[in-house]
Amino acid sequence: MSDEQPADAAQAPLVEVRDLKVHFPITRGIIFNHVVGHVLAVDGVDLLINRGETYGLVGESGCGKSTLGRALLQLIPPTAGSVQFDGVELTALTGEQLRSMRQRMQMIFQDPVSSLDPRQNVESILTEGLEAHGIGADRAKRRELISETLDSVGMPRWALSRYPHEFSGGQRQRIGIARALALGPELIVADEPVSALDVSIQAQVINLLDELQDSLGLTYLVIAHDLAVVRHIADTVGVMYLGALVEEAPSDLIYAEPLHPYTRSLMSAVPVPDPDVEDRRERILLSGDLPSPANPPPGCRFHTRCPWAQPERCADERPVLHEARPGHWVACHWVEEIAEGRIRPHEVDAELVRPQEGVAAAPVVRAPQVP
């Protein structure tokens, strides 16, 4: 029995998210605030991340990708749902238990300016986590560890004595990446990890993440807008739209044959470095903007912009993420009919989704406090 336990543990997913919801209250009032609605930033997400895997999360701005990543690490307390990390229910942890667990889970933040303390130099920023978790026997050992980490992200060692404002945006992002790597975590949530870097440095960082994953067995959740980056690094890709997953599949499969109408529109926007193919391939232009998560459309949330939307079901019934093909999960009522060409695309008029009755036109959105 003891010989079977390690194998079972290795096969179990490192991260398991079930029906995760993050709703921010919308308040109104001058003296006494009262809740008049909620922003449904994340609304019922299920996903699994296996050990040693890179899970790529894509979608347009405002769809809830970053909020999902922060809620997974409990940086934002979920409204409902379950988040298990290595079999431990994170939503049940508080105080010292949660703090010690965070050594195993780190994040690369999207904005390197706001995530780095301007009053600390780089050495202080990088050693703060090491000291908090008791890593490194003394200051000299910790300095050696962070110097090696800086080398791995392409930063010179003299940067240790400098402050964040003395670096460019790309250099600040690399410092943020070094901070995440310094603690030797098992899971890294990378929120746009290379968006602030030039092309040559992007390739270096992506290759570095691959090398670290191979040597250390790291697991990544990569949040990105750049579909080319996600295709290069991700094993599994999840596509988010307005707070929910609409499609999930292995990377090669979802890029070769996207099934959800929203995913198809995203893929059609990726340029192909072949002029003949580029001229012949299908282009899908969506009408209108992303609806407000404070008042999402009823039924399928994509139906107001979907070129394949039908009068039946789309506006009334919210589709459930189901396995349309082996290993290929899609949230669409008509996925088979669209794939087989029985439903043809049509023009879509942009639809204005008006605020709900009683909701302020310019509300104040407040994030729940971390306990």
Side-chain angles (χ1 to χ4, degrees):
M1 178 67 72
S2 60
D3 293 337
E4 296 177 357
Q5 287 179 349
D8 293 341
Q11 293 174 0
L14 180 64
V15 178
E16 183 173 359
V17 177
R18 295 297 181 193
D19 196 26
L20 186 65
K21 298 180 180 179
V22 181
H23 297 173
F24 298 118
I26 303 173
T27 60
R28 184 180 182 183
I30 299 176
I31 299 178
F32 300 103
N33 286 334
H34 61 281
V35 177
V36 296
H38 288 84
V39 174
L40 311 183
V42 178
D43 196 34
V45 170
D46 297 338
L47 62 84
L48 298 175
I49 306 177
N50 296 316
R51 297 173 185 273
E53 178 186 56
T54 298
Y55 190 104
L57 193 62
V58 300
E60 59 193 302
S61 297
C63 71
K65 305 185 302 298
S66 296
T67 301
L68 174 59
R70 290 169 180 258
L72 191 150
L73 299 181
Q74 305 301 295
L75 297 179
I76 297 176
T79 304
S82 169
V83 180
Q84 290 193 2
F85 176 79
D86 198 15
V88 178
E89 180 58 52
L90 296 182
T91 59
L93 300 182
T94 58
E96 181 62 25
Q97 289 180 322
L98 181 59
R99 190 190 71 84
S100 60
M101 181 66 73
R102 283 189 173 135
Q103 179 183 347
R104 303 172 62 190
M105 319 176 289
Q106 289 295 303
M107 185 166 188
I108 302 170
F109 292 94
Q110 182 175 2
D111 183 5
V113 177
S114 62
S115 65
L116 299 177
D117 189 342
R119 294 169 293 184
Q120 290 184 288
N121 61 23
V122 172
E123 181 175 5
S124 178
I125 290 172
L126 297 184
T127 57
E128 186 175 23
L130 299 179
E131 293 174 350
H133 292 283
I135 300 175
D138 51 32
R139 181 177 179 179
K141 180 60 177 177
R142 288 192 290 269
R143 188 180 180 91
E144 179 183 350
L145 290 174
I146 63 176
S147 296
E148 293 173 356
T149 304
L150 280 180
D151 289 339
S152 69
V153 297
M155 290 291 290
R157 298 197 176 195
W158 52 256
L160 290 173
S161 61
R162 302 293 181 88
Y163 289 81
H165 72 271
E166 299 180 76
F167 299 96
S168 66
Q171 290 174 322
R172 284 194 289 262
Q173 185 69 302
R174 281 179 274 175
I175 294 170
I177 294 171
R179 178 176 57 184
L181 296 175
L183 293 178
E186 298 173 46
L187 171 69
I188 293 181
V189 176
D191 190 359
E192 301 283 358
V194 296
S195 62
L197 307 179
D198 59 52
V199 176
S200 61
I201 300 300
Q202 282 185 10
Q204 293 176 17
V205 173
I206 294 300
N207 291 335
L208 171 64
L209 293 176
D210 277 340
E211 292 170 4
L212 291 170
Q213 187 173 48
D214 293 338
S215 61
L216 302 177
L218 294 175
T219 304
Y220 298 127
L221 171 61
V222 177
I223 301 167
H225 292 94
D226 192 333
L227 296 174
V229 169
V230 173
R231 183 175 190 174
H232 177 76
I233 195 173
D235 301 302
T236 302
V237 176
V239 182
M240 280 192 75
Y241 183 81
L242 208 60
L245 280 178
V246 297
E247 188 166 359
E248 181 186 84
S251 178
D252 292 340
L253 184 58
I254 203 170
Y255 279 87
E257 189 181 8
L259 295 180
H260 194 278
Y262 178 62
T263 310
R264 295 178 70 167
S265 68
L266 287 181
M267 297 304 174
S268 73
V270 180
V272 177
D274 186 330
D276 293 332
V277 176
E278 182 70 18
D279 290 340
R280 294 194 308 267
R281 72 193 187 98
E282 180 187 24
R283 289 178 176 81
I284 303 172
L285 300 179
L286 298 180
S287 300
D289 295 324
L290 187 74
S292 170
N295 184 26
C300 175
R301 294 183 174 179
F302 186 58
H303 84 268
T304 57
R305 304 170 69 193
C306 180
W308 288 270
Q310 300 298 300
E312 310 87 27
R313 301 183 71 184
C314 290
D316 305 317
E317 181 184 344
R318 185 175 179 183
V320 177
L321 196 69
H322 65 282
E323 194 171 18
R325 308 279 174 81
H328 202 145
W329 297 75
V330 187
C332 178
H333 297 304
W334 309 101
V335 58
E336 293 298 338
E337 290 81 357
I338 294 173
E340 295 171 4
R342 285 184 280 158
I343 296 179
R344 305 298 300 172
H346 54 78
E347 291 188 5
V348 179
D349 295 328
E351 180 178 330
L352 176 63
V353 181
R354 298 185 179 279
Q356 295 176 352
E357 186 72 20
V359 177
V364 177
V365 180
R366 301 181 187 278
Q369 298 296 315
V370 179

